[in-house]
CSV table of all heavy atoms in Angstrom, one decimal:
chain,number,residue,atom,x,y,z
A,83,ASN,N,-107.3,-12.9,-29.5
A,83,ASN,CA,-106.5,-13.1,-30.7
A,83,ASN,C,-106.2,-11.8,-31.5
A,83,ASN,O,-105.7,-11.8,-32.6
A,83,ASN,CB,-107.1,-14.1,-31.6
A,83,ASN,CG,-108.4,-13.7,-32.2
A,83,ASN,OD1,-108.9,-12.6,-32.0
A,83,ASN,ND2,-109.1,-14.6,-32.9
A,84,GLY,N,-106.7,-10.6,-31.0
A,84,GLY,CA,-106.4,-9.4,-31.6
A,84,GLY,C,-107.5,-8.9,-32.6
A,84,GLY,O,-107.4,-7.9,-33.3
A,85,LEU,N,-108.6,-9.7,-32.7
A,85,LEU,CA,-109.7,-9.3,-33.6
A,85,LEU,C,-110.5,-8.1,-32.9
A,85,LEU,O,-111.0,-8.3,-31.8
A,85,LEU,CB,-110.6,-10.5,-33.8
A,85,LEU,CG,-111.6,-10.4,-34.9
A,85,LEU,CD1,-110.9,-10.8,-36.2
A,85,LEU,CD2,-112.8,-11.3,-34.7
A,86,LEU,N,-110.6,-7.0,-33.6
A,86,LEU,CA,-111.3,-5.9,-33.1
A,86,LEU,C,-112.6,-5.8,-34.0
A,86,LEU,O,-112.5,-5.8,-35.2
A,86,LEU,CB,-110.5,-4.6,-33.3
A,86,LEU,CG,-111.1,-3.4,-32.7
A,86,LEU,CD1,-110.9,-3.4,-31.1
A,86,LEU,CD2,-110.5,-2.1,-33.3
A,87,TYR,N,-113.8,-5.7,-33.3
A,87,TYR,CA,-115.0,-5.7,-34.1
A,87,TYR,C,-116.1,-4.8,-33.5
A,87,TYR,O,-116.1,-4.5,-32.3
A,87,TYR,CB,-115.5,-7.2,-34.3
A,87,TYR,CG,-115.8,-7.9,-33.0
A,87,TYR,CD1,-117.1,-7.9,-32.5
A,87,TYR,CD2,-114.8,-8.5,-32.3
A,87,TYR,CE1,-117.4,-8.6,-31.3
A,87,TYR,CE2,-115.1,-9.2,-31.1
A,87,TYR,CZ,-116.3,-9.2,-30.6
A,87,TYR,OH,-116.6,-9.8,-29.4
A,88,LEU,N,-117.1,-4.5,-34.3
A,88,LEU,CA,-118.3,-3.8,-33.9
A,88,LEU,C,-119.4,-4.9,-33.7
A,88,LEU,O,-119.4,-5.9,-34.4
A,88,LEU,CB,-118.8,-2.8,-34.9
A,88,LEU,CG,-118.0,-1.6,-35.1
A,88,LEU,CD1,-118.5,-0.8,-36.3
A,88,LEU,CD2,-118.0,-0.7,-33.8
A,89,ALA,N,-120.2,-4.7,-32.7
A,89,ALA,CA,-121.3,-5.6,-32.4
A,89,ALA,C,-122.5,-4.8,-31.9
A,89,ALA,O,-122.4,-3.7,-31.4
A,89,ALA,CB,-120.9,-6.6,-31.4
A,90,PRO,N,-123.7,-5.4,-32.1
A,90,PRO,CA,-124.9,-4.7,-31.5
A,90,PRO,C,-125.0,-5.2,-30.0
A,90,PRO,O,-124.9,-6.3,-29.7
A,90,PRO,CB,-126.0,-5.3,-32.3
A,90,PRO,CG,-125.6,-6.6,-32.8
A,90,PRO,CD,-124.1,-6.6,-32.9
A,91,SER,N,-125.3,-4.2,-29.1
A,91,SER,CA,-125.6,-4.6,-27.7
A,91,SER,C,-126.9,-5.4,-27.7
A,91,SER,O,-127.1,-6.3,-26.8
A,91,SER,CB,-125.6,-3.4,-26.8
A,91,SER,OG,-126.6,-2.5,-27.2
A,92,GLN,N,-127.8,-5.1,-28.6
A,92,GLN,CA,-129.1,-5.8,-28.7
A,92,GLN,C,-129.3,-6.3,-30.1
A,92,GLN,O,-129.9,-5.6,-30.9
A,92,GLN,CB,-130.2,-4.9,-28.2
A,92,GLN,CG,-130.1,-4.5,-26.8
A,92,GLN,CD,-131.3,-3.7,-26.3
A,92,GLN,OE1,-131.6,-2.7,-27.0
A,92,GLN,NE2,-131.8,-4.0,-25.2
A,93,PRO,N,-128.8,-7.5,-30.4
A,93,PRO,CA,-129.1,-8.0,-31.7
A,93,PRO,C,-130.6,-8.2,-32.0
A,93,PRO,O,-131.3,-8.7,-31.2
A,93,PRO,CB,-128.4,-9.4,-31.7
A,93,PRO,CG,-127.6,-9.5,-30.5
A,93,PRO,CD,-128.1,-8.5,-29.5
A,94,PRO,N,-131.1,-7.6,-33.1
A,94,PRO,CA,-132.5,-7.7,-33.4
A,94,PRO,C,-132.9,-9.2,-33.6
A,94,PRO,O,-132.1,-10.0,-34.1
A,94,PRO,CB,-132.6,-7.0,-34.8
A,94,PRO,CG,-131.4,-6.4,-35.1
A,94,PRO,CD,-130.3,-6.9,-34.2
A,95,GLU,N,-134.1,-9.5,-33.1
A,95,GLU,CA,-134.7,-10.9,-33.3
A,95,GLU,C,-134.6,-11.3,-34.7
A,95,GLU,O,-134.3,-12.5,-35.0
A,95,GLU,CB,-136.1,-10.9,-32.8
A,95,GLU,CG,-136.4,-11.3,-31.4
A,95,GLU,CD,-135.6,-12.5,-30.9
A,95,GLU,OE1,-135.7,-13.6,-31.6
A,95,GLU,OE2,-134.9,-12.4,-29.9
A,96,ALA,N,-134.9,-10.4,-35.6
A,96,ALA,CA,-134.9,-10.8,-37.1
A,96,ALA,C,-133.5,-11.2,-37.6
A,96,ALA,O,-133.4,-12.0,-38.5
A,96,ALA,CB,-135.5,-9.6,-37.9
A,97,LEU,N,-132.5,-10.6,-37.0
A,97,LEU,CA,-131.1,-11.0,-37.4
A,97,LEU,C,-130.9,-12.5,-36.9
A,97,LEU,O,-130.3,-13.3,-37.7
A,97,LEU,CB,-130.1,-10.1,-36.9
A,97,LEU,CG,-128.7,-10.5,-36.9
A,97,LEU,CD1,-128.2,-10.7,-38.4
A,97,LEU,CD2,-127.7,-9.5,-36.2
A,98,LEU,N,-131.2,-12.7,-35.7
A,98,LEU,CA,-131.0,-14.1,-35.1
A,98,LEU,C,-131.8,-15.1,-35.9
A,98,LEU,O,-131.3,-16.2,-36.2
A,98,LEU,CB,-131.3,-14.1,-33.6
A,98,LEU,CG,-130.6,-13.0,-32.8
A,98,LEU,CD1,-131.0,-13.1,-31.3
A,98,LEU,CD2,-129.1,-13.2,-32.9
A,99,THR,N,-133.0,-14.7,-36.2
A,99,THR,CA,-133.9,-15.7,-37.0
A,99,THR,C,-133.3,-15.9,-38.4
A,99,THR,O,-133.3,-17.1,-38.8
A,99,THR,CB,-135.3,-15.1,-37.2
A,99,THR,OG1,-135.8,-14.8,-35.9
A,99,THR,CG2,-136.2,-16.0,-37.9
A,100,LEU,N,-132.8,-14.9,-39.0
A,100,LEU,CA,-132.2,-15.1,-40.3
A,100,LEU,C,-130.9,-16.0,-40.2
A,100,LEU,O,-130.8,-17.0,-41.0
A,100,LEU,CB,-131.7,-13.7,-40.9
A,100,LEU,CG,-130.9,-13.7,-42.2
A,100,LEU,CD1,-131.7,-14.3,-43.3
A,100,LEU,CD2,-130.5,-12.3,-42.6
A,101,ALA,N,-130.1,-15.8,-39.3
A,101,ALA,CA,-128.9,-16.6,-39.2
A,101,ALA,C,-129.2,-18.0,-38.8
A,101,ALA,O,-128.7,-19.0,-39.4
A,101,ALA,CB,-127.9,-16.0,-38.1
Side-chain angles (χ1 to χ4, degrees):
N83 63 5
L85 196 84
L86 186 79
Y87 61 93
L88 289 174
S91 56
Q92 293 183 311
E95 266 315 304
L97 166 62
L98 303 178
T99 302
L100 173 61

